[in-house]
Amino acid sequence: MENYRCVTSVQEIQEYIGDSKIIAFDYETAPDEPYRTEEKAALDPHKSHIVGCSFSAKEHTGIYVPVAHKIGENIENSTFLHFLHSFLTNKNIIKIAHNIAFESAVSCHQDIVIQPPVYDTICAAQMTLKSNYEFRKLTDSGLKRLAAELCHEPLPTFSDVTNGRHFDELDAQDSETIRYGCADSDFALRLYHIFNNWFDCFLPKHRYIVEQIESPTAVYLGIMKHNGVPVDADLMKSRHQEAEQHMQRIRNEITMLIGDVEIGANCGTKAFKDYLYQTLKLPVMKVTASNKEAADDSSMIMLKEWCNVNRPELSSLFTLVQEYRKWGKIKSTYIDGYLKYLNSATGRIHPDFFALSTETGRMNCRNPNLQNCPRKSNDPIGVRNFIKAPEKHLILSLDFSQIELRVGAFYCRDRTMMETYQNGGDIHAATTSVIFGCTYEEAQDKHRKEYKEQRTIAKNVNFGTFYGLFPKGLQSTLKFKAGVEKSIPECEEIIRNLKAGYHALTTWQEETKRNATGKMYIETWLGRRRYLSNIRSDNWGLKSFAERCALNTPIQGTAADILKLAIVRILEGLPSRRWLKPILQIHDELTFIIPKEKLNEAVDFIRECMEKQPFTEFDLPLVAEASAGESFGNLEELEG
């Protein structure tokens, strides 16, 4: 039987906690008055307030501390917040929460930066197996589901307890209010012990990752979500009109060529496909997974090339289709898609960040996905300029330079690669030299006639080097991503030269695939595991994909771990740098808002956190390149 009770003084909290060093906590929140009718406002720290907080220092026990209930007795607010700050920043207490990113965002709104050691049971859940070869997904990791599955106790739902009311409308001293509030902390504490026992038995390295990497990273993600991304809404609305005008112009031009065929939002309608393949009788260059005629971008490029030779009067159609799609994506994804998520309380975008939604441990972002901001080279309306620093502030970004290539060189131990990085050299020049047989100095000579094309090829080869290059795939990558045409025999020669020039590369690849086949899993350097159940498959396609994952995961996953280790160091430095506001993480890049006068101090601190040796075996230098500006689209590189 659970022993839950309500307390309304800091003294009672301290008496309950005693000298415990492992304590779970949980917030209950409710919308502020202007947002009482807004759906999910209680989950937005800018539109809500803390109604109560529970603590559990021993399984099957808990205390509920009412803070802002409209009915019943509450604790004195400022006294409680003072205690809360002391508790959440205490480096001698392991602070446990289920989805600590939410608690972090709410705490951040109270000017509290939660400090490690911390433990997020939702992270721990995702690092445990739900079957022989499958880790739990986020959807498998809700507290109520885990309580029923692992503790064999059903928990009441929020709607069961509130019955359509906000939480601050419940009686603070009512037994159901207390039970609901305390259960979240109690069961988080129980899960802490359950998961750690499982890790200790089956995957000890995952316990280290949860405790030292993923849980503090979750706190940082909550801070980013709370801070939000400042945007220039007027510029976005202006660009919306511009995109509409471009799309109307292109629609008119397409209509002039094909008549009143319905093309839809991106020229992907059945009517448009029927027009291409049945009315015009154009050849089917590619089919979909369901064996239907494809009309994706690569199909349009191939059809244009065919028409250049066979039906030149139709070539311009495919140029227009590509342009129409480009503007359609800009409008739907980067203008309408961003405007939809403007927060009415802050005027900023507060996306959701996820640290464990990919197999390799890389982070991702949704609602909206700000990680897919187009690069300057493919950004006709300046989407990155939508992200704009407040007055007297700057946007600062630090980006790991070629981190996956450095991690790959560390893994395969190729002397040429390692010496290039250890000497501060140019890996793209080194690869140009290897695959084209020129000297390293010639590869760096920008005045040489072949310089641009060879370097472009070398860059694209480098980013696929460790993951297993195939001639056809390389040909496609060079054609569609770099605009360079190479025959299959030329691609075969490039790969042959690459393997001959980087002797240790092939050895590492073959050993890695062989080991993964034996174990049926692969791990990052720190032990993040990914199961590859198809690596012994008789189906060549499934086996080949699993082998690519075996090569990709240690590199991409170790690079992700290195970035998260840097994030943990930054988190620990935030309380003494309240002016440093993390807002974004994009691949290998961390982005902040800072006061202009703090630029040098911020760069020095963040660079130190990022370039520090991530673990004792890593013997190559890490380089973080800094850039700053008043908008994300106009960042200028800073001297190292």
Side-chain angles (χ1 to χ4, degrees):
M1 181 69 184
E2 289 82 12
N3 180 7
Y4 297 157
R5 56 194 175 90
C6 179
V7 305
T8 54
S9 72
V10 168
Q11 182 182 345
E12 289 175 289
I13 300 172
Q14 290 169 332
E15 285 172 357
Y16 168 73
I17 288 174
D19 58 1
S20 298
K21 300 299 181 191
I22 302 172
I23 302 168
F25 77 104
D26 180 76
Y27 292 135
E28 300 300 340
T29 58
D32 296 335
E33 286 304 324
Y35 307 106
R36 299 295 276 189
T37 59
E38 186 176 315
E39 189 181 3
K40 296 186 178 179
L43 303 178
D44 182 345
H46 298 280
K47 298 179 178 181
S48 64
H49 54 278
I50 298 173
V51 174
C53 182
S54 62
F55 300 91
S56 181
K58 182 181 176 184
E59 292 186 41
H60 302 280
T61 76
I63 55 171
Y64 180 67
V65 185
V67 177
H69 281 265
K70 294 177 180 291
I71 305 170
E73 183 186 352
N74 294 303
I75 195 169
E76 201 279 316
N77 191 274
S78 61
T79 308
F80 175 70
L81 288 177
H82 181 76
F83 164 80
L84 194 62
H85 184 279
S86 174
F87 168 73
L88 294 175
T89 57
N90 189 326
K91 296 201 171 186
N92 296 312
I93 294 175
I94 298 171
K95 297 156 289 283
I96 303 163
H98 195 77
N99 189 17
I100 205 167
F102 173 73
E103 267 70 24
S104 173
V106 172
S107 302
C108 193
H109 202 65
Q110 300 298 331
D111 210 25
I112 302 170
V113 178
I114 301 174
Q115 288 294 286
V118 291
Y119 193 100
D120 186 0
T121 46
I122 211 167
C123 288
Q126 292 174 87
M127 297 289 284
T128 58
L129 288 168
K130 70 172 182 179
S131 64
N132 287 345
Y133 302 113
E134 189 180 4
F135 288 100
R136 292 179 197 274
K137 300 279 193 291
L138 186 61
T139 51
D140 305 315
S141 303
L143 184 65
K144 289 168 180 58
R145 179 169 182 163
L146 293 171
E149 182 183 330
L150 302 178
C151 304
H152 312 294
E153 291 189 38
L155 290 178
T157 65
F158 182 82
S159 57
D160 287 341
V161 174
T162 56
N163 195 25
R165 294 166 293 174
H166 296 298
F167 208 82
D168 60 357
E169 295 169 334
L170 303 182
D171 184 337
Q173 277 71 44
D174 183 85
S175 60
E176 284 301 303
T177 306
I178 296 165
R179 179 171 178 258
Y180 183 86
C182 288
D184 285 353
S185 291
D186 175 24
F187 279 85
L189 183 63
R190 295 192 214 180
L191 291 174
Y192 167 84
H193 293 297
I194 289 169
F195 288 139
N196 277 355
N197 288 336
W198 187 92
F199 290 138
D200 293 345
C201 288
F202 302 108
L203 263 174
K205 290 178 180 177
H206 273 210
R207 176 171 178 173
Y208 169 84
I209 291 170
V210 169
E211 291 180 337
Q212 303 300 321
I213 299 177
E214 292 299 344
S215 296
T217 295
V219 173
Y220 186 92
L221 299 190
I223 293 169
M224 283 201 298
K225 181 171 178 63
H226 174 269
N227 290 340
V229 178
V231 294
D232 185 338
D234 290 338
L235 178 62
M236 292 166 79
K237 289 167 185 172
S238 165
R239 292 292 186 259
H240 180 276
Q241 291 181 331
E242 186 181 325
E244 287 275 20
Q245 290 165 1
H246 277 287
M247 291 185 73
Q248 186 59 54
R249 173 185 59 80
I250 299 164
R251 258 197 308 267
N252 292 341
E253 291 184 35
I254 291 174
T255 301
M256 293 283 287
L257 290 172
I258 67 173
D260 60 355
V261 176
E262 176 56 48
I263 62 172
N266 69 342
C267 293
T269 61
K270 183 178 184 301
F272 183 63
K273 287 185 195 177
D274 288 347
Y275 179 78
L276 295 180
Y277 298 116
Q278 293 178 24
T279 305
L280 295 178
K281 307 292 185 188
L282 295 178
V284 177
M285 299 295 187
K286 190 177 171 185
V287 294
T288 65
S290 56
N291 211 34
K292 301 281 175 59
E293 301 95 336
D296 60 3
D297 289 344
S298 59
S299 302
M300 296 298 103
I301 291 171
M302 289 187 279
L303 281 171
K304 181 180 183 340
E305 290 174 349
W306 186 86
C307 287
N308 287 343
V309 176
N310 301 285
R311 301 279 300 273
E313 74 280 7
L314 293 176
S315 289
S316 61
L317 170 62
F318 298 102
T319 303
L320 288 169
V321 167
Q322 289 294 91
E323 193 180 355
Y324 184 70
R325 286 179 172 178
K326 180 178 76 176
W327 281 102
K329 181 173 176 61
I330 287 168
K331 178 179 173 293
S332 64
T333 303
Y334 304 121
I335 303 175
D336 297 345
Y338 287 3
L339 284 169
K340 174 184 172 185
Y341 289 101
L342 272 186
N343 187 297
S344 59
T346 67
R348 295 187 175 197
I349 295 172
H350 299 263
D352 295 319
F353 297 95
F354 301 93
L356 285 166
S357 291
T358 65
E359 299 271 18
T360 60
R362 289 189 81 163
M363 292 184 268
N364 63 6
C365 173
R366 293 202 294 267
N367 302 325
N369 180 6
L370 289 179
Q371 288 183 329
N372 72 348
C373 271
R375 294 284 179 188
K376 281 185 183 179
S377 56
N378 188 33
D379 188 6
I381 63 164
V383 168
R384 289 190 167 222
N385 287 328
F386 295 166
I387 300 173
K388 184 179 179 183
E391 193 176 349
K392 297 182 181 177
H393 287 72
L394 292 171
I395 290 174
L396 170 66
S397 272
L398 279 92
D399 191 358
F400 272 126
S401 171
Q402 301 173 359
I403 188 169
E404 288 188 19
L405 294 179
R406 291 171 194 269
V407 171
F410 161 73
Y411 264 108
C412 78
R413 313 304 293 167
D414 183 85
R415 182 175 296 177
T416 303
M417 289 183 189
M418 292 186 70
E419 287 179 353
T420 300
Y421 281 123
Q422 286 165 341
N423 298 329
D426 178 351
I427 194 69
H428 297 317
T431 301
T432 300
S433 170
V434 159
I435 61 180
F436 293 110
C438 58
T439 67
Y440 181 78
E441 289 71 26
E442 287 171 337
Q444 287 188 305
D445 181 2
K446 294 182 180 179
H447 302 293
R448 201 165 55 95
K449 186 177 73 172
E450 302 87 356
Y451 171 82
K452 188 173 182 182
E453 180 176 294
Q454 289 185 351
R455 188 170 178 86
T456 299
I457 292 170
K459 277 187 175 182
N460 280 275
V461 166
N462 270 339
F463 294 120
T465 292
F466 298 103
Y467 308 144
L469 284 171
F470 295 95
K472 193 170 182 182
L474 177 59
Q475 182 190 44
S476 177
T477 297
L478 293 175
K479 180 175 181 177
F480 294 119
K481 290 191 176 178
V484 175
E485 297 268 1
K486 288 291 172 187
S487 66
I488 292 291
E490 285 175 312
C491 290
E492 287 171 345
E493 184 181 7
I494 288 171
I495 294 169
R496 195 161 49 243
N497 291 343
L498 179 80
K499 291 179 176 179
Y502 292 148
H503 298 287
L505 173 63
T506 303
T507 304
W508 174 78
Q509 288 176 328
E510 293 308 315
E511 284 181 359
T512 300
K513 287 189 286 188
R514 188 164 56 250
N515 289 338
T517 302
K519 295 176 178 178
M520 294 184 71
Y521 66 79
I522 194 74
E523 290 181 332
T524 67
W525 193 264
L526 295 176
R528 186 188 300 273
R529 184 173 294 186
R530 178 180 188 177
Y531 284 93
L532 302 168
S533 56
N534 289 322
I535 201 159
R536 298 179 188 171
S537 174
D538 294 329
N539 181 310
W540 181 87
L542 294 176
K543 179 182 173 70
S544 177
F545 178 73
E547 288 181 340
R548 287 198 299 278
C549 291
L551 300 176
N552 168 288
T553 300
I555 294 171
Q556 197 174 91
T558 300
D561 287 344
I562 289 171
L563 181 73
K564 288 176 177 177
L565 285 167
I567 280 172
V568 177
R569 295 186 201 103
I570 293 169
L571 173 66
E572 291 176 336
L574 288 180
S576 59
R577 297 170 180 84
R578 308 315 291 262
W579 44 266
L580 181 63
K581 303 293 185 185
I583 60 165
L584 271 178
Q585 178 276 325
I586 301 177
H587 308 310
D588 307 319
E589 179 180 6
L590 297 174
T591 303
F592 308 83
I593 297 171
I594 57 164
K596 287 184 177 180
E597 69 273 12
K598 294 288 189 180
L599 179 60
N600 292 337
E601 186 180 342
V603 171
D604 289 346
F605 167 66
I606 299 162
R607 185 173 271 149
E608 182 184 355
C609 291
M610 293 177 73
E611 293 183 350
K612 186 174 180 179
Q613 185 182 21
F615 42 85
T616 52
E617 301 88 349
F618 197 82
D619 54 358
L620 292 176
L622 293 170
V623 176
E625 297 173 337
S627 54
E630 294 184 354
S631 77
F632 199 40
N634 288 302
L635 301 183
E636 293 185 10
E637 286 187 28
L638 306 174
E639 291 297 320

